[in-house]
Amino acid sequence: EQGLLAPISPMLILPEVTSPKSWLDQRLPLFDKDGTIFCYFSQVIPPVIYNSSMVKEGQITSYLDLLKPEWKGKMVMFDPTINGSASFWSAGLTQELGVEKANEFLSALVKQQEVMVTRDMGQQMEWVTRGKYQLALFPQTPAVTQYLQAGAPISAAAFREMTLVSYSNGGLAVPKYPPHHNAIAVFINWYLSKEGQALAVKYMGAPSMRIDVPPEGVNPMFVIKPRQKFLFQTEELNQNTGKWMDAWKKIFNQSRG
């Protein structure tokens, strides 16, 4: 908003970078309408992580499954009233279902299913790993990754309605008045090339938006599946999240009583 960032497109030179065919969804993954942020990761945000020793694969395939009686009192949810994966998912559901239907679902989680709400992402995953709760709703990806690497008995469930894809920490921006314009251009074009993105995937552990860079070493739960309906995080979705969050605060503040 302060005009500190420059549009990135004028700096893109290599054909393998400028071609929309190189990128997922056949378009340059620019986050904002002004084109100042180029997003190069495409990380799936699992809506549900479950204790695989207590929950069977396939028990949850829809957000509506979470309202079944068997899950009452067995779910811990990351707080959607602060920025994070839960607010992202709440916004995604709101965009797909409409405000009224999405808020009805969130209210049912609180009133009908007695979901526990936490702002501690490590505590959420620890509770599910130890079996205090069976399901973690909309957990934070860093905590999920940490527990996966530690060998925790956890797996991911996906909703058939849609999958949310975040750019995670894969955003690239350029200052409006860079001290070394040409050097920045050289770096950006290399980093967004197949070679640069292969290294980014290897060392940062997230799948690339480039369709010619395989997600080697990335846990499959974070990778878009073939024919999977997905919704990207966008500038518009972020802006709408702020508008919708007041209703979510009312719903979840009531739950804290």
Side-chain angles (χ1 to χ4, degrees), residues 24-98:
L24 188 66
D25 216 19
Q26 301 290 292
R27 64 180 181 85
L28 294 184
L30 297 169
F31 180 78
D32 57 315
K33 64 181 184 298
D34 295 326
T36 62
I37 301 174
F38 195 106
C39 300
Y40 53 86
F41 280 158
S42 59
Q43 184 163 307
V44 168
I45 306 298
V48 179
I49 296 293
Y50 60 86
N51 186 310
S52 55
S53 64
M54 304 175 75
V55 179
K56 296 180 180 179
E57 183 180 357
Q59 280 189 267
I60 300 169
T61 60
S62 167
Y63 75 96
L64 292 174
D65 289 337
L66 301 178
L67 301 183
K68 293 181 177 179
E70 60 258 39
W71 304 123
K72 183 176 181 179
K74 298 179 181 179
M75 301 181 288
V76 56
M77 179 179 182
F78 196 77
D79 193 343
T81 67
I82 59 175
N83 289 330
S85 56
S87 63
F88 181 25
W89 260 103
S90 297
L93 287 170
T94 301
Q95 180 166 307
E96 286 292 293
L97 305 175

Side-chain angles (χ1 to χ4, degrees), residues 16 18-24 26-28 210-212:
E16 67 167 297
T18 59
S19 173
K21 295 181 179 180
S22 297
W23 303 95
L24 188 66
Q26 301 290 292
R27 64 180 181 85
L28 294 184
R210 287 193 66 100
I211 61 175
D212 56 359

